[in-house]
Amino acid sequence: MSKPSERVALVGSPNSGKSSLFNRLTGLRQKVANYPGVTVEKTVGDCILPSGKRIELLDLPGTYSMAPRSPDEQIVRDVLEGRRESTDGADLVVAVVDATNLERQLYLALQILSTGRPAILVLNLIDAAEAEGIVIDVPALTRKLGVPVLAVSAKTGRGMDRLREAMDAPRGNGHANGNGNGAAERPTDAPALPLPALLAGLNDPARGYKDVEAIVREVVRRRPKPDQLRIRIDHVLTHRVLGPTIFLLLMATVFQSIYAWATPAMDVIDAGFTALAGGVRAALPPGPLQSLLADGVIAGAGTVAAFLPQLVILFFFLALLEDSGYMARAAFIMDRVMGAVGLPGRAFLPLLSSFACAIPGIMATRTIENRNDRLTTILIAPFMSCSARLPVYALLIGAFIPDRHWLGFIGLRGLTLLALYLFGIVAALAVAWVLKRTVLRGRRPLYVMELPPYRIPTWRSVLLTIRNRCLLFLKRAGTVILAVSILLWFLATYPAGHPETRALEARAKTAAAAGHVAEAAQLEDAAAGAALRHSFAGMLGQAIEPAIRPLGFDWKIGIGLISSFAAREVMVSTMATIYNLESGGGNDAEASLRGILPGVTDDRTGLPVYTPLVAISLMVFFALACQCMSTVAIVRRETNSWRWPIFMLVLMNAMAWGASFAVFQGGRLLGWG
Amino acid sequence: MSAEAATAAIAGDPPKTQTLASVASGARARVLRIDGDEHFARRLMDLGMTPGTEISLVRRAPFGDPIELIVRGSHFSIRRSEAARIHVETL
């Protein structure tokens, strides 16, 4: 495929239907990346024009003004003025406006035209405007502005062919009428502006709007009247009692679906990758290659793929909520509540999603416009107790917290679990409070936000959102996760062939040959345990023991902490391997582990390794520590730098260490150890 | 026009001015001037809240803040602390 010969930029305000138009024009030939050096996303796609010419279409961030107020708006301005090295301007600008409200939308459009770039004005949502009884005199507007004006509906596809033709037409001059005679030269120096007086007024909003009012009076017949349906829907959705109730019901549905409905699909994916690893083990002779493929590569790819069901479900809801216009109402309802802890209303859904998993939660923060607000939300999301912590909590609570009940239904185990969840929330809010006053301090962002009209989301946009997000995750975070999985596999597998491991393997073979199946299985588990204990991971566990001893952890727990960086729940299977229970002695590994943990003693002192105090210290550590390579990878992707994920890793682990230290040493002082 | 210019344009407050934060739900008002730094004033004016523009206050959010406005046919929400910097005359 040849490189696109021209770049066309779509510019418009946030609710102009710009992205639907982009989706219409590019379909599946689009991708999302980042502008270098900033967190702003760059959406580009290919579009084929009637003449067969391929152009690159750039969907610029929504903006209200050419006077930049945010990194997003700065990008728009830089591209239109050809100032960004990596984006070197645009050959044609398509200014998109919402035809239902020209009075507000033309203001930005005129600023765009004033840059002097060849431009087309698109009146999007023309069917909605007509339904409201608005008639726009398109030829008159074309004459007034001196650029081609087209009425389209990205939703139904009306007018799209004519738009493609207009984009295809030769452009001689910034403000040609679209009937150019094929002149190839495109003067880059400022073209003559058709309405110099009008354009000069755009540094002065009061004057700019006066000029817009004058144009609108001439070209729009029947001014828009208040949309009664919208007012009635708003009356319910932002009602004093019904509003918050509906909001909570919707949020509960989203949460429930990520938390529970994704599980069957995740189980299928998990089973698929397990079967694939089994196939590789059967097809290849035992050895480094078999181990690398089955335990490193396929296991890592399985970790990556298991996130997809949650991401698909979350982004399905997110696209529906955003495209329908509900998300703005949710922010309107929640601003006061979230504002109490210094976060925007839009932070609610990402944080809620993080109780299922921080990965979709962090990806959902993109609806938060302000950079500091978004970074704060990203950094506190991993404190929400995700579902991967649950197996660890279940193991330790089951093994060490007595099953005591009061009043018949209040159980000590349930209360412990609840306390861990609340602990995560309190830690998150405290961190947010501190971040907002230190590293992420800044002027309180303007809240002012448009409450857009309600629109029925299109399948096209919803599906494209899901597709783009999943591709981004796979490409940008998935690769990091896979690489770290392979590294962790290496640490747990090499150096191989320790004499203890060899001896146990030999005995297992002998036992198997003699037909002692149970004994052989036990010896194999012992060999796996020995292999792990003598691996690099085992050495690392020993190396970090002095650092975690004050928390009550021995080096075997240290191995668990290191390997659970793959995913927190890996802690359980790693501990099972360490204690020679890999296959669980025929039982569920977790159940056997729960049975033996209280009896585990220290090799040197002979004292129990695990006491209830150690278990609590370990759970506190898990509540706060960033033991999740996927979270690190996704923060890297969403912030477009390594700075923030490293900051998060250090901060969370320092907090975890401090809290566990306080719990363990404090508990010992009180004589609980 | 800068915020200072906007302020200067309406020197001498008319007697019955108030801020948008104290306008009742369902009432209409006309923008007189916007206090605060230029960044704030320019943003609101870019959204169409230029001096002389008519604003309708639709409702308050369920927890009392922010508030919803109609400006030039578009609906906006704005915090009360922000609305307190917009001086208006009620209509």
Side-chain angles (χ1 to χ4, degrees):
Chain A
M1 283 218 283
S2 61
K3 268 203 81 67
S5 51
E6 283 192 353
R7 168 176 293 143
V8 177
L10 288 185
V11 195
S13 67
N15 298 299
S16 56
K18 183 171 61 64
S19 293
S20 325
L21 191 72
F22 177 78
N23 289 338
R24 227 345 135 173
L25 288 168
T26 61
L28 288 174
R29 297 178 307 274
Q30 56 172 266
K31 64 170 202 249
V32 183
N34 270 79
Y35 288 98
V38 285
T39 55
V40 181
E41 283 202 338
K42 177 182 183 180
T43 312
V44 286
D46 272 4
C47 173
I48 295 157
L49 298 179
S51 67
K53 185 163 80 178
R54 269 177 70 225
I55 53 152
E56 182 184 65
L57 199 62
L58 188 60
D59 186 15
L60 287 173
T63 180
Y64 286 113
S65 164
M66 284 287 283
R69 297 276 176 259
S70 69
D72 286 38
E73 295 181 347
Q74 187 65 49
I75 293 275
V76 176
R77 181 148 187 175
D78 287 353
V79 168
L80 291 192
E81 297 185 350
R83 268 193 298 189
R84 247 193 123 68
E85 285 166 40
S86 55
T87 52
D88 48 51
D91 299 292
L92 172 70
V93 175
V94 176
V96 188
V97 299
D98 173 356
T100 62
N101 190 349
L102 276 193
E103 180 174 335
R104 261 206 55 249
Q105 299 259 326
L106 272 185
Y107 174 73
L108 172 66
L110 293 185
Q111 291 189 332
I112 296 166
L113 300 188
S114 75
T115 62
R117 292 210 170 250
I120 296 174
L121 180 67
V122 169
L123 311 177
N124 194 14
L125 294 157
I126 192 68
D127 46 351
E130 284 171 358
E132 284 180 37
I134 299 165
V135 180
I136 300 168
D137 185 347
V138 176
L141 192 55
T142 307
R143 279 193 304 278
K144 271 232 148 311
L145 301 178
V147 299
V149 179
L150 295 160
V152 311
S153 165
K155 189 169 183 175
T156 63
R158 183 176 146 195
M160 295 305 290
D161 287 339
R162 283 177 43 229
L163 173 59
R164 283 194 192 88
E165 279 163 28
M167 287 163 67
D168 214 2
R171 291 175 281 280
N173 175 293
H175 292 92
N177 273 329
N179 54 1
N181 53 6
E185 82 271 31
R186 194 173 303 119
T188 44
D189 49 346
L193 298 178
L195 302 160
L198 190 158
L199 295 167
L202 288 170
N203 265 331
D204 172 357
R207 188 162 157 206
Y209 269 104
K210 275 217 166 59
D211 294 334
V212 169
E213 283 166 25
I215 295 178
V216 168
R217 263 197 303 276
E218 273 185 61
V219 303
V220 179
R221 276 162 246 144
R222 273 188 75 176
R223 307 288 295 275
K225 53 183 183 316
D227 176 352
Q228 288 305 322
L229 179 64
R230 164 215 171 109
I231 286 173
R232 252 175 277 151
I233 298 174
D234 269 339
H235 190 68
V236 176
L237 291 185
T238 60
H239 181 269
R240 223 156 39 85
V241 179
L242 288 175
T245 311
I246 294 170
F247 170 77
L248 286 178
L249 284 176
L250 280 172
M251 292 301 117
T253 308
V254 175
F255 180 68
Q256 173 67 14
S257 56
I258 311 170
Y259 200 84
W261 301 348
T263 314
M266 290 164 77
D267 289 345
V268 168
I269 290 174
D270 195 42
F273 278 89
T274 308
L276 190 60
V280 167
R281 277 201 198 89
L284 292 175
L289 181 65
Q290 185 215 54
S291 174
L292 168 66
L293 286 180
D295 302 325
V297 177
I298 294 174
T303 306
V304 174
F307 284 113
L308 289 178
Q310 294 182 336
L311 292 181
V312 168
I313 293 175
L314 179 73
F315 280 102
F316 169 74
F317 283 113
L318 218 51
L320 283 189
L321 293 173
E322 196 70 68
D323 293 0
S324 64
Y326 182 76
M327 199 62 104
R329 273 71 180 184
F332 180 64
I333 293 170
M334 288 307 290
D335 186 69
R336 179 73 181 270
V337 179
M338 298 299 286
V341 291
L343 289 169
R346 278 172 187 249
F348 190 85
L349 183 59
L351 292 178
L352 181 73
S353 308
S354 298
F355 281 104
C357 176
I359 310 307
I362 288 168
M363 289 186 82
T365 59
R366 64 185 45 267
T367 58
I368 302 169
E369 280 167 24
N370 178 267
R371 171 186 171 274
N372 282 1
D373 282 349
R374 179 155 177 242
L375 274 173
T376 307
T377 311
I378 287 175
L379 292 172
I380 66 170
F383 285 108
M384 302 298 147
S385 214
C386 65
S387 56
R389 287 177 173 103
L390 212 47
V392 180
Y393 292 162
L395 168 69
L396 294 171
I397 288 176
F400 295 100
I401 305 297
D403 194 10
R404 221 174 274 155
H405 284 80
W406 296 280
L407 303 175
F409 65 97
I410 305 174
L412 184 57
R413 290 178 166 179
L415 281 181
T416 309
L417 192 60
L418 181 66
L420 287 164
Y421 273 78
L422 292 178
F423 181 57
I425 296 172
V426 170
L429 296 182
V431 168
W433 192 87
V434 172
L435 288 176
K436 283 294 215 162
R437 277 158 189 79
T438 53
V439 278
L440 293 175
R441 189 177 47 214
R443 72 160 89 214
R444 192 174 184 208
L446 277 186
Y447 161 79
V448 187
M449 174 184 74
E450 189 169 355
L451 293 168
Y454 290 103
R455 308 258 182 237
I456 295 170
T458 61
W459 277 111
R460 182 192 305 268
S461 287
V462 172
L463 292 177
L464 279 169
T465 301
I466 295 173
R467 168 188 172 273
N468 288 347
R469 290 299 135 202
C470 289
L471 282 180
L472 263 186
F473 171 77
L474 289 177
K475 269 193 275 185
R476 300 295 302 282
T479 44
V480 175
I481 297 172
L482 187 59
V484 177
S485 305
I486 293 172
L487 175 71
L488 288 172
W489 160 82
F490 178 81
L491 291 179
T493 312
Y494 290 94
H498 187 273
E500 187 192 344
T501 316
R502 290 239 166 119
L504 286 164
E505 278 168 356
R507 283 173 57 198
K509 268 203 190 101
T510 321
H516 305 305
V517 180
E519 195 194 337
Q522 243 176 30
L523 286 163
E524 271 168 24
D525 283 354
L532 180 56
R533 288 192 297 271
H534 294 297
S535 68
F536 289 121
M539 295 174 206
L540 272 175
Q542 305 226 20
I544 65 167
E545 192 179 21
I548 57 176
R549 196 80 251 186
L551 316 181
F553 309 158
D554 71 348
W555 65 277
K556 291 178 184 171
I557 298 180
I559 301 177
L561 296 182
I562 292 164
S563 55
S564 61
F565 193 62
R568 291 182 176 89
E569 72 269 21
V570 170
M571 179 77 182
V572 176
S573 57
T574 306
M575 297 318 279
T577 306
I578 291 178
Y579 294 118
N580 304 338
L581 293 170
E582 186 167 61
S583 55
N587 295 318
D588 168 28
E590 194 214 312
S592 344
L593 200 54
R594 200 182 302 164
I596 67 124
L597 281 188
V600 171
T601 54
D602 191 297
D603 304 337
R604 282 156 296 189
T605 60
L607 293 171
V609 171
Y610 296 90
T611 62
L613 186 59
V614 171
I616 292 171
S617 171
L618 191 51
M619 286 192 283
V620 164
F621 191 87
F622 264 84
L624 299 181
C626 180
Q627 282 163 301
C628 179
M629 60 173 176
S630 309
T631 303
V632 174
I634 202 68
V635 172
R636 148 85 187 88
R637 155 46 227 157
E638 292 296 321
T639 61
N640 201 23
S641 91
W642 279 109
R643 206 171 115 221
W644 292 108
I646 289 168
F647 174 77
M648 182 181 77
L649 197 62
V650 171
L651 175 76
M652 291 184 74
N653 291 347
M655 285 176 66
W657 194 91
S660 285
F661 182 85
V663 165
F664 185 68
Q665 299 299 340
R668 287 220 309 189
L669 281 179
L670 294 171
W672 296 341
Chain B
M1 177 160 47
S2 67
E4 296 79 49
T7 310
I10 307 147
D13 285 357
K16 282 198 328 188
T17 70
Q18 56 182 117
T19 72
L20 195 56
S22 57
V23 173
S25 292
R28 290 181 306 138
R30 195 188 307 279
V31 178
L32 295 174
R33 65 165 207 272
I34 301 171
D35 280 347
D37 55 30
E38 193 185 345
H39 172 92
F40 177 74
R42 175 68 200 255
R43 168 58 102 207
L44 294 189
M45 289 201 276
D46 275 339
L47 293 175
M49 288 179 227
T50 52
T53 308
E54 201 182 302
I55 291 180
S56 324
L57 200 136
V58 184
R59 61 167 61 82
R60 295 183 191 287
F63 299 111
D65 195 19
I67 55 179
E68 178 180 349
L69 313 170
I70 301 180
V71 182
R72 298 180 189 268
S74 287
H75 293 240
F76 289 99
S77 74
I78 180 171
R79 287 196 185 119
R80 291 182 65 183
S81 58
E82 293 164 342
R85 289 148 78 179
I86 303 172
H87 294 260
V88 296
E89 56 178 350
T90 45
L91 299 172

